[in-house]
Amino acid sequence: MIAVTLVMTGCNGGPKPQDSPVNDSISTEQRDTIMADPSCVLLSHTMGKIVSGHYADLSFEVSLPISQVLVKNGQKVKRGQVLVQLDQFKLRNTIEQQQRQIEQAQLQIEQSSLQMQDVIISQGYDPDKPASIPADVRHNAEVKSGHSLAKSQLATARTLAAAAQHELKSSVITAPFDGVVANLVAQAHQLSQPGQTVCRIIATDDMEVEFRVMEADLNKYKIGTRVSVIPVADNTMRYEAVVSEINPVVDEQGAITLRARLSGAQGLFDGMNVEVLVGGKN
């Protein structure tokens, strides 16, 4: 259901609106009182919800015990700030093992390189003149000496080491941008689940209000139209927003969904119910 009524703003010396539509929820006495004062303006009114225009759901890629949870829900964080960290002992141990594999493969390459030279010499070619060595002779020398196998092992060790380094880096969740923590479910000593959201970071400087209006009232809303937003939780607060998006689809109830970007949205939460008023300065 879309609640559409008319409310009266404070008097500011503005001109009396002509042919202002009046909803049945306003009594005749109220209508006469409002229209008798030329400095008062009638505004269309509907309900909406606060939505985050920019957020990120963060998760781990590996399953390991959680060692530290350094934030809590509602906490403001800065970009790059550490939020949650896994136990890194196994990851660091794996990196050390892969580094040793790289070193061993490099030694094997050095040894096989000498053996490959001997094979090439035995075939009547000078290893110091690689351009004069036929491709098939060089290939056979690499295989017989174990040089090809050593190079393959080195490449594999480096790939595994890079993967281990990536897992170590991903074992620490940091804030991708300035914002506030929400939906935090991680607890110390729990086992992380790969792909499961640990928390959400909401960019509080990029909040919007989403609301629906009836098709007949769409002419009041255009891109750039200024609206006032009043939280249901605290009707003493008032925020300004500018219509930034109109979804060009009329739903089964004859309504159209709009979004308006908020400015100075401190104190507003994602999903919060608000009233949206239009009719002020545009």
Side-chain angles (χ1 to χ4, degrees), residues 43-219:
L43 303 181
S44 56
H45 159 275
T46 187
M47 301 301 295
K49 281 186 178 293
I50 299 298
V51 294
S52 174
H54 186 201
Y55 68 86
D57 289 329
L58 307 178
S59 62
F60 289 112
E61 297 180 13
V62 296
S63 180
L64 287 171
I66 297 173
S67 62
Q68 292 182 334
V69 179
L70 303 173
V71 292
K72 58 184 178 181
N73 280 323
Q75 180 175 336
K76 294 181 180 179
V77 293
K78 293 291 185 181
R79 179 179 180 179
Q81 181 176 337
V82 176
L83 311 178
V84 186
Q85 181 172 316
L86 298 179
D87 187 338
Q88 299 180 344
F89 174 78
K90 289 184 178 180
L91 298 176
R92 294 187 182 279
N93 188 47
T94 299
I95 290 175
E96 291 179 1
Q97 291 177 355
Q98 295 303 328
Q99 187 59 40
R100 286 195 292 270
Q101 292 292 334
I102 290 175
E103 294 172 356
Q104 291 177 3
Q106 289 173 334
L107 289 174
Q108 290 176 353
I109 286 178
E110 293 178 4
Q111 294 174 355
S112 63
S113 179
L114 296 175
Q115 295 174 358
M116 184 178 67
Q117 290 180 7
D118 292 340
V119 175
I120 292 174
I121 292 173
S122 68
Q123 296 295 314
Y125 296 95
D126 186 353
D128 294 330
K129 297 179 180 179
S132 65
I133 305 173
D136 58 337
V137 172
R138 185 174 185 85
H139 175 72
N140 290 335
E142 287 183 344
V143 173
K144 289 181 179 180
S145 64
H147 191 68
S148 294
L149 179 60
K151 288 194 299 182
S152 176
Q153 290 175 339
L154 177 60
T156 300
R158 284 175 173 169
T159 299
L160 294 175
Q165 288 285 358
H166 175 75
E167 288 186 348
L168 178 64
K169 183 178 180 180
S170 64
S171 70
V172 179
I173 288 182
T174 59
F177 44 77
D178 294 355
V180 63
V181 179
N183 298 340
L184 178 66
V185 296
Q187 295 183 13
H189 311 302
Q190 282 185 338
L191 194 66
S192 65
Q193 299 299 321
Q196 183 178 16
T197 299
V198 172
C199 68
R200 171 177 290 187
I201 301 299
I202 299 174
T204 53
D205 59 349
D206 188 19
M207 303 293 282
E208 297 177 329
V209 56
E210 183 176 277
F211 58 100
R212 298 163 68 218
V213 299
M214 299 306 295
E215 182 180 359
D217 293 327
L218 184 61
N219 62 340

Side-chain angles (χ1 to χ4, degrees), residues 235-246:
N235 58 16
T236 64
M237 299 298 295
R238 191 184 188 98
Y239 301 86
E240 298 301 318
V242 176
V243 175
S244 58
E245 180 181 320
I246 300 176

